[in-house]
């Protein structure tokens, strides 16, 4: 599913999650408002006044962290800012994805444009220009403790603004930053007082990844309702347990939404209607079918809380020290990532459990003792063919990994900076593992969708409902129906791509409305 946002204006109103995604993932152009430019100039005037003062001001005329007690002479302050960025650009490990880096850049630009950081207009303009030129600094997996902001990741961005370090150009080619800036007609920034600190002291990396995860999970939870409905049909389950009156007995908002989606998806389903009469001797379905809205609903409520935190953070100004509207420059602790880290971890739990219940439904469809008439492993010739046996192994391996990724990062803290920074959030680590978890959930749902579509084909001449039928036809346009064993890995990848692009949700919503 692509965005229609071509340009995002920074300054004044808080950014929305959808605007962040537009810039980060889809390359939307960034424009600064005149209001933002005026705020930047006001903040800079205050910083320059403090730089001329005899009174020490943290990060302006002093060192940083545990070295904050040293007064820095005026002729060393430009070097102070350069040294800060060079020393803090100390990341290690694999490159971080382009979209995560672009989200980080946009969110730091948003804070710069508040005027509360004290940077110069040229510095904010350069960061916007990097985004618009599709120049992406190389940021590494490790280096942020999620406190004093995402220091190392943001320092790699600031280093590129100085014309140093490595970047990826618009084509993805690895280049030295100086050469890439020159090719784009941009001049490196020469950092002034406080600017180095202002560029790196924020929760922008973990927040950017939270925002994107929230939007991706909104789509995946709709997909989970779709795959659950198809599995319920394939396993000859009932839709009576999703009755609105039953759901109102436990008034969790997410549960109500999920149950309503399941009712809509299963409406007018011939396969459900086929065993609704008095001849059916099934008393109640297994938990993985019957409790689908309780699990997916709890995940939805978790997501709603996480999005609320993300939106509050998008309306926050994170820097230390911060330039206040009355001209004061004050130290603070707003850079601590705990609010973001907690919900990143909370979402990883919801992702793991949503995947876990999906895997259990898949396993039921493959087990001849529990599938109510389907062939063993949905194989064409069981014994000769293995059907989807090992696809469920893949699900199980991913679910096991997701359980490990659900272990919270935010409960850990390793003191740093000679005990000056003695409690940290590990929010960046929580964000990194949540990204892996979201990818894993996508693959787990792809296997359930692939398996349920095959099982529904094997129920012929019984037909699925109009909405689930539309989804099955969408899958069949990319993946063949039942038959002798085939190479399954490309089929799983193809269905995962349909999920990621939003095509599966769009297919269902061509017939019904989903919340």
């Amino acid at each position: 599913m692509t965005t229609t946002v071509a340009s995002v204006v920074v300054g004044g109103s808080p950014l929305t999650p959808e605007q962040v995604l537009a810039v980060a993932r889809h390359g939307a152009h960034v424009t600064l408002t005149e209001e933002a430019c005026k705020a930047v100039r006001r903040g800079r005037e205050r910083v320059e006044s403090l730089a001329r003062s005899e009174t020490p001001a943290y990060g302006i005329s002093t060192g940083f962290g545990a070295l904050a007690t040293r007064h820095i002479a005026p002729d060393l302050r430009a070097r102070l800012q350069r040294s800060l960025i060079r020393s803090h650009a100390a990341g290690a490990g694999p490159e971080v994805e382009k979209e995560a880096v672009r989200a980080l850049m946009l969110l730091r630009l948003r804070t710069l444009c508040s005027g509360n950081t004290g940077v110069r207009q040229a510095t904010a303009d350069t960061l916007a220009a990097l985004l618009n030129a599709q120049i992406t600094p190389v940021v590494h997996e490790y280096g942020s403790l999620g406190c004093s902001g995402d220091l190392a990741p943001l320092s790699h961005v600031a280093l590129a603004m100085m014309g140093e370090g490595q970047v990826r150009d618009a084509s993805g080619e690895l280049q030295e930053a100086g050469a890439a800036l020159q090719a784009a007609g941009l001049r490196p920034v020469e950092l002034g007082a406080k600017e180095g600190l202002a560029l790196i002291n924020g929760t922008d990396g973990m927040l950017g990844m939270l925002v994107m995860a929230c939007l991706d999970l909104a789509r995946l939870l709709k997909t989970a309702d779709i795959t659950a409905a198809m599995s319920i049909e394939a396993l000859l389950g009932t839709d009576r347990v999703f009755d609105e009156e039953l759901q109102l007995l436990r008034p969790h908002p997410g549960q109500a939404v999920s149950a309503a989606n399941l009712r809509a998806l299963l409406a007018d389903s011939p396969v459900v209607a086929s065993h609704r009469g008095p001849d059916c001797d099934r008393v109640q379905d297994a938990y993985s079918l019957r409790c689908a809205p309780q699990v997916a609903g709890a995940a939805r409520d978790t997501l709603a809380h996480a999005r609320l935190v993300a939106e509050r953070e998008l309306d926050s100004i994170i820097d230390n020290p911060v330039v206040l509207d009355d001209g004061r420059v004050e130290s603070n602790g707003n850079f601590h990532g705990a609010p973001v880290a907690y919900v990143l971890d909370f979402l990883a739990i919801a992702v793991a459990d949503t995947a876990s219940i999906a895997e259990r439904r898949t396993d039921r469809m493959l087990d001849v003792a529990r599938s109510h008439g389907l062939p063993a492993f949905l194989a064409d010739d069981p014994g000769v063919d293995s059907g989807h046996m090992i696809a469920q192994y893949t699900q199980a391996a991913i679910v096991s990994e997701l359980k490990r990724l659900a272990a919270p990062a935010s409960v850990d803290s390793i003191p740093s900076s000679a005990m000056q920074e003695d409690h940290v959030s590990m929010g960046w680590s929580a964000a990194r593992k949540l990204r892996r978890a979201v990818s894993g959930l996508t693959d787990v749902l792809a296997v359930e969708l692939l398996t349920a579509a095959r099982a529904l084909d094997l129920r012929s001449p019984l037909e699925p409902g109009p909405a689930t039928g539309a989804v099955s036809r969408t899958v069949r346009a990319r993946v063949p129906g039942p038959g002798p064993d085939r190479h399954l890995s490309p089929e799983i990848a193809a269905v995962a791509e349909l999920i990621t692009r939003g095509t599966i949700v769009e297919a269902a919503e061509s017939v019904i409305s989903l919340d």
Side-chain angles (χ1 to χ4, degrees):
M1 190 179 298
T2 58
T3 181
T4 57
V5 179
S7 180
V8 170
V9 175
V10 179
S13 301
L15 291 173
T16 66
E18 290 75 16
Q19 287 175 317
V20 175
L21 188 71
V23 174
R25 185 171 293 172
H26 304 296
H29 190 272
V30 171
T31 304
L32 308 186
T33 65
E34 181 56 33
E35 179 185 355
C37 295
K38 289 179 180 177
V40 168
R41 289 193 289 271
R42 285 195 303 270
R44 186 61 194 173
E45 288 170 3
R46 178 57 181 156
V47 166
E48 290 180 349
S49 174
L50 282 170
R52 294 188 296 266
S53 172
E54 296 293 326
T55 304
Y58 176 71
I60 298 173
S61 54
T62 73
F64 307 104
L67 302 176
T69 56
R70 178 179 171 180
H71 181 267
I72 306 299
D75 60 342
L76 292 176
R77 289 176 188 171
R79 176 182 163 190
L80 171 71
Q81 302 301 319
R82 290 194 301 271
S83 295
L84 173 72
I85 299 305
R86 288 168 178 163
S87 66
H88 284 46
E95 283 186 47
V96 171
E97 308 82 12
K98 177 180 179 179
E99 65 176 31
V101 178
R102 284 181 60 82
L104 175 152
M105 295 166 70
L106 174 67
L107 294 175
R108 183 72 329 215
L109 177 63
R110 172 195 64 95
T111 293
L112 299 184
C113 288
S114 69
N116 296 106
T117 67
V119 300
R120 293 169 300 146
Q121 183 69 55
T123 302
D125 289 341
T126 298
L127 185 51
L130 285 181
L131 283 166
N132 291 336
Q134 300 288 321
I135 295 173
T136 308
V138 171
V139 171
H140 297 279
E141 180 83 9
Y142 303 107
S144 173
L145 301 181
C147 205
S148 286
D150 292 316
L151 288 175
L154 283 162
S155 294
H156 281 275
V157 173
L159 191 70
M161 294 171 65
M162 292 165 51
E164 301 178 25
Q166 292 186 313
V167 300
R168 297 277 178 183
D169 65 15
S171 67
E173 182 181 348
L174 188 65
Q175 288 194 19
E176 293 300 316
L181 265 62
Q182 184 176 19
L186 302 176
R187 296 181 61 183
V189 168
E190 295 184 11
L191 298 177
K194 194 188 178 295
E195 289 194 298
L197 195 60
L199 285 169
I200 67 174
N201 212 326
T203 57
D204 308 290
M206 65 183 94
L207 175 58
M209 288 184 275
L210 172 62
V211 166
M212 290 188 288
C214 284
L215 294 172
D216 289 340
L217 285 172
R219 170 178 34 80
L220 287 174
L221 290 176
K222 282 188 180 182
T223 305
D225 287 339
I226 293 168
T227 61
M230 293 174 68
S231 295
I232 289 163
E233 285 184 301
L235 288 163
L236 303 181
T238 180
D239 60 351
R240 291 177 60 187
V241 294
F242 310 130
D243 182 79
E244 184 175 11
E245 186 176 359
L246 292 173
Q247 303 305 313
L248 288 173
L249 296 174
R250 196 185 195 193
H252 292 290
Q255 178 178 325
V257 169
S258 183
N261 284 346
L262 287 167
R263 290 196 300 273
L265 287 158
L266 294 171
D268 303 319
S269 169
V271 67
V272 171
S274 71
H275 55 89
R276 188 174 275 144
D279 295 336
C280 181
D281 60 0
R282 303 265 299 281
V283 178
Q284 52 185 14
D285 293 327
Y287 288 3
S288 58
L289 281 63
R290 196 183 349 151
C291 302
Q294 283 74 19
V295 173
R300 271 187 168 81
D301 290 340
T302 302
L303 176 59
H305 173 61
R307 176 150 180 157
L308 176 62
V309 171
E311 290 172 347
R312 286 173 179 161
E313 197 76 359
L314 286 171
D315 197 22
S316 302
I317 304 302
I318 308 296
D319 194 17
N320 180 51
V322 66
V323 181
L324 299 177
D325 292 342
D326 63 5
R328 287 180 296 137
V329 176
E330 297 286 356
S331 292
N332 65 92
N334 285 334
F335 50 75
H336 198 291
V340 180
Y342 291 172
V343 293
L344 287 162
D345 280 335
F346 199 0
L347 283 176
I349 294 171
V351 166
D353 206 36
T354 302
S356 179
I357 196 171
E359 181 275 330
R360 289 292 79 207
R361 290 190 294 261
T362 301
D363 185 61
R364 295 190 76 82
M365 287 184 279
L366 303 180
D367 184 354
V368 68
R370 294 179 292 148
S371 66
H372 304 289
L374 292 170
F377 301 106
L378 307 186
D380 186 63
D381 184 1
V384 174
D385 295 310
S386 295
H388 281 206
M389 178 193 294
I390 307 304
Q392 184 267 329
Y393 283 33
T394 298
Q395 272 189 320
I398 296 170
V399 169
S400 181
E401 173 70 7
L402 293 179
K403 291 174 183 177
R404 292 190 290 274
L405 292 173
S410 58
V411 297
D412 187 30
S413 178
I414 298 179
S416 55
S417 192
M419 293 297 286
Q420 175 71 6
E421 298 168 7
D422 57 356
H423 185 274
V424 296
S425 78
M426 294 298 178
W428 173 273
S429 300
R432 297 305 297 160
K433 69 184 181 67
L434 179 59
R435 283 184 69 82
R436 291 192 290 274
V438 169
S439 176
L441 175 59
T442 302
D443 288 335
V444 167
L445 293 177
V447 173
E448 184 184 14
L449 182 54
L450 198 63
T451 303
R454 185 182 182 101
L456 285 171
D457 285 344
L458 292 170
R459 290 292 184 194
S460 181
L462 290 174
E463 295 289 332
T468 52
V471 172
S472 288
R473 289 190 295 275
T474 299
V475 172
R476 286 290 161 260
R478 290 289 301 273
V479 175
D485 281 353
R486 304 184 295 264
H487 183 194
L488 275 182
S489 194
E491 298 188 4
I492 296 170
V495 174
E497 182 183 5
L498 291 175
I499 292 172
T500 298
R501 290 181 176 274
T503 309
I504 295 301
V505 170
E506 288 174 353
E509 290 185 332
S510 69
V511 179
I512 60 170
S513 177
L514 294 175
D515 292 323

